[in-house]
Amino acid sequence: MPRDPLIGLVGKPSSGKSTTLNRYSSTVLTDASSKVGNFPFTTIDPQRAIGYLQIDCACTRYKLEDKCRPNYGSCHEGRRSVPIELLDVAGLVPGAHEGKGLGNKFLDDLRHADALIHVVDVSGTTDAEGKETRGYDPSQDIVWLKSEIVRWILGNLMGKWGSIKRRHIAIKATPVETLQNQFSGYGSTSNIVARCLDRLDIKEPLPEWSDETIERVVVSFIDEKFPTVLALNKIDHPDSDKNISKIAKSQDPQSIVLCSAISEVFLRRLVKQGYIQYTEGSEFVDTREDLIEMGDPDGGGLKEMDEKLKTRVENLKDLVLYRFGSTGVVQVLSRAADLLGLVPIFPVRNIHTFASGTGGANVAFRDCVLVNKLDLPPSSSDIKRAANYIYRNSTVGDVARKVMGDVPIAYIEGAGGTRVSEDEIVSLGKHDILSFKVGR
Ligand SMILES: Nc1nc2c(ncn2[C@@H]2O[C@H](COP(=O)(O)OP(=O)(O)OP(=O)(O)O)[C@@H](O)[C@H]2O)c(=O)[nH]1
Ligand SMILES: [Mg+2]
């Protein structure tokens, strides 16, 4: 059954994790349509926060934007914000694997994450410990952070490699079995291990692996287990440009998102205070004057800003919005969702009106759940095949079990009222509106 996805925020002290998280979770408090007591993650611990993933809502396909009333999150003109759980993994410094900073506590938290957002301070104004400095090279942070995770897992593994080897030989295990035995504590699955070995194509049998080979296995395992978005934060700072170019040369462009968490927080505060209109994730900021110029004599009911505030907004537009297209914060979460292959599904009671049990017949698309790509328990023949063979998207049946639990289901309807088979794979825009009919 698909689990709820969890995304971990990592990064050295003062890189901007909390600032980013505040932005992600601020809608919890301000969005009138989300019910506080009845929230999906009410028992959240202090480290956990709700982020809002922006997706294209199904309501636009049926021109039902004005009837769309999400139970959780919000939907504005077809841009829907769907709650997703985030974990603030604070306290990582170089030497964490030896217990520095919050050390092992940090690393223990990690195991629950399906993907990571590494918040990197690209202004170069904080050193590896997060202390104030100037001209620090942030590309080092990407290297040492990963190396901390590698050394943590590698240390645990090497400490008992002798007995791991003996057992492996004694019970004639496969490398996947032996490694999964060791990695299950980090939230691994046999599939992840299979894919990790697949991409390395090691020729020697496990008992003959060199130290260097074992390290390569661990690095590959981490790449598979923790797909990572690099959120290059503080792009508003003048020193950021050269650091960004350096990082861009050595990293996969798909993994990089540029952002300015503080700009997003600032813009959202101005929205709350009634000074601007701002579409999250966009470059569009309108002030009272802008709206008057566009022909609204009332200026959208916005307040007039003083000169100082005006200048700050203009600077933010020039330094961030116009140069980079947005503050990037919304995009960071979207990229993480892409890495995870998350698909939004809209369960409805009535497949023709898209109404649900609550809210009456005049209200559409109350619910939206995010489903993961699934890790199937590999059969022994799968393990030998191409990695993606044992990774598949959730099916209609998987979604049914996630949404309905053990309730027996008679049949399932898809858009248009046609029956859909439980075996159909769900994907973006396909088999994503479903009505589960209860009964035997
Ligand atoms: N210029 C600039 N400063 C930022 C940005 N984001 C965060 N900061 C500043 O960086 C400092 C640290 O931010 P935090 O969000 O507290 O960092 P953190 O990663 O949560 O740090 P720890 O909780 O200590 O691990 C604060 O002074 C923020 O105002 C940004 O986009 N641009
Ligand atoms: Mg913090």
Side-chain angles (χ1 to χ4, degrees):
M1 186 173 64
R3 265 189 320 114
D4 282 325
L6 178 65
I7 295 172
L9 259 83
V10 299
K12 70 185 181 187
S14 293
S15 55
K17 296 179 295 299
S18 300
T19 309
T20 309
L21 270 179
N22 285 340
R23 141 67 195 104
Y24 285 138
S25 44
S26 59
T27 28
V28 174
L29 304 173
T30 58
D31 183 31
S33 65
S34 71
K35 294 179 247 158
V36 172
N38 191 14
F39 206 71
F41 320 102
T42 34
T43 54
I44 229 157
D45 65 63
Q47 269 187 325
R48 301 212 175 190
I50 303 303
Y52 284 88
L53 180 65
Q54 283 201 8
I55 59 152
D56 292 323
C57 187
C59 67
T60 52
R61 278 180 245 163
Y62 300 91
K63 307 244 177 312
L64 289 173
E65 288 91 338
D66 46 350
K67 288 191 176 175
C68 188
R69 297 277 183 288
N71 266 327
Y72 305 110
S74 58
C75 184
H76 297 293
E77 291 159 10
R79 287 305 289 162
R80 183 162 181 145
S81 301
V82 183
I84 180 169
E85 208 174 351
L86 304 173
L87 182 68
D88 185 353
V89 190
L92 183 65
V93 293
H97 74 284
E98 300 163 325
K100 287 219 182 91
L102 293 178
N104 294 330
K105 156 89 175 85
F106 161 84
L107 296 162
D108 275 348
D109 284 343
L110 261 192
R111 68 182 80 221
H112 304 293
D114 299 305
L116 301 179
I117 292 171
H118 179 181
V119 182
V120 182
D121 175 354
V122 285
S123 70
T125 56
T126 50
D127 68 13
E129 261 96 31
K131 287 200 236 17
E132 223 171 288
T133 181
R134 198 75 199 258
Y136 176 81
D137 174 7
S139 67
Q140 294 178 48
D141 293 341
I142 298 170
V143 176
W144 73 249
L145 188 133
K146 178 150 181 206
S147 137
E148 282 304 325
I149 304 174
V150 171
R151 283 151 80 184
W152 170 53
I153 294 177
L154 192 61
N156 290 344
L157 197 61
M158 292 313 265
K160 36 185 177 165
W161 190 249
S163 62
I164 293 169
K165 244 186 339 201
R166 280 192 297 280
R167 183 166 188 277
H168 178 83
I169 296 165
I171 65 167
K172 299 194 173 63
T174 65
V176 171
E177 285 162 349
T178 293
L179 289 174
Q180 172 55 15
N181 222 343
Q182 297 304 315
F183 291 163
S184 60
Y186 309 114
S188 177
T189 62
S190 300
N191 273 342
I192 292 177
V193 175
R195 282 197 301 275
C196 129
L197 290 178
D198 223 47
R199 62 154 89 178
L200 292 176
D201 199 22
I202 301 165
K203 297 284 182 280
E204 306 79 40
L206 182 140
E208 289 165 32
W209 286 358
S210 65
D211 288 1
E212 187 230 0
T213 301
I214 300 170
E215 180 164 347
R216 277 174 55 220
V217 168
V218 170
V219 170
S220 168
F221 167 67
I222 289 164
D223 289 340
E224 281 295 339
K225 175 61 184 62
F226 302 114
T228 302
V229 178
L230 299 170
L232 306 189
N233 189 33
K234 310 194 186 180
I235 54 172
D236 52 280
H237 193 281
D239 291 353
S240 293
D241 281 6
K242 64 173 197 304
N243 295 326
I244 293 169
S245 334
K246 180 162 180 193
I247 291 170
K249 279 186 198 122
S250 62
Q251 300 293 329
D252 174 4
Q254 270 308 102
S255 69
I256 294 178
V257 183
L258 308 182
C259 65
S260 172
I262 212 165
S263 301
E264 182 71 22
V265 169
F266 178 60
L267 289 175
R268 295 184 60 83
R269 196 165 63 223
L270 293 188
V271 170
K272 244 189 252 176
Q273 293 169 344
Y275 287 117
I276 58 167
Q277 286 181 0
Y278 165 59
T279 313
E280 279 172 55
S282 78
E283 60 178 303
F284 304 113
V285 171
D286 287 317
T287 61
R288 179 181 171 80
E289 283 170 14
D290 294 333
L291 293 176
I292 291 173
E293 223 168 273
M294 286 188 276
D296 176 358
D298 185 37
L302 293 175
K303 286 194 266 184
E304 184 75 39
M305 293 190 282
D306 63 23
E307 284 308 314
K308 205 172 139 213
L309 208 48
K310 268 187 209 161
T311 313
R312 279 187 73 186
V313 171
E314 283 311 311
N315 282 342
L316 194 155
K317 283 184 184 170
D318 290 341
L319 284 173
V320 178
L321 295 180
Y322 297 159
R323 286 190 66 211
F324 299 102
S326 73
T327 69
V329 179
V330 169
Q331 285 76 5
V332 169
L333 203 49
S334 302
R335 191 66 64 82
D338 286 349
L339 289 185
L340 286 173
L342 296 184
V343 179
I345 306 286
F346 304 87
V348 294
R349 180 72 65 87
N350 184 320
I351 200 70
H352 303 289
T353 63
F354 308 111
S356 291
T358 53
N362 245 338
V363 165
F365 299 114
R366 300 288 284 175
D367 297 302
C368 177
V369 295
L370 299 169
V371 299
N372 262 331
K373 274 190 292 195
L374 279 193
D375 250 354
L376 297 182
S379 67
S380 48
S381 59
D382 285 342
I383 292 174
K384 298 196 184 69
R385 297 186 204 194
N388 57 10
Y389 186 81
I390 46 181
Y391 225 176
R392 70 152 169 75
N393 284 330
S394 298
T395 61
V396 168
D398 295 324
V399 177
R401 282 181 289 280
K402 181 181 168 102
V403 173
M404 305 297 284
D406 294 332
V407 177
I409 289 173
Y411 61 96
I412 302 166
E413 287 178 339
T418 51
R419 285 201 187 188
V420 283
S421 151
E422 294 211 4
D423 301 331
E424 293 286 354
I425 300 278
V426 301
S427 58
L428 280 179
K430 191 148 180 255
H431 299 308
D432 62 341
I433 305 173
L434 296 169
S435 182
F436 304 106
K437 301 300 175 190
V438 175
R440 291 197 187 270

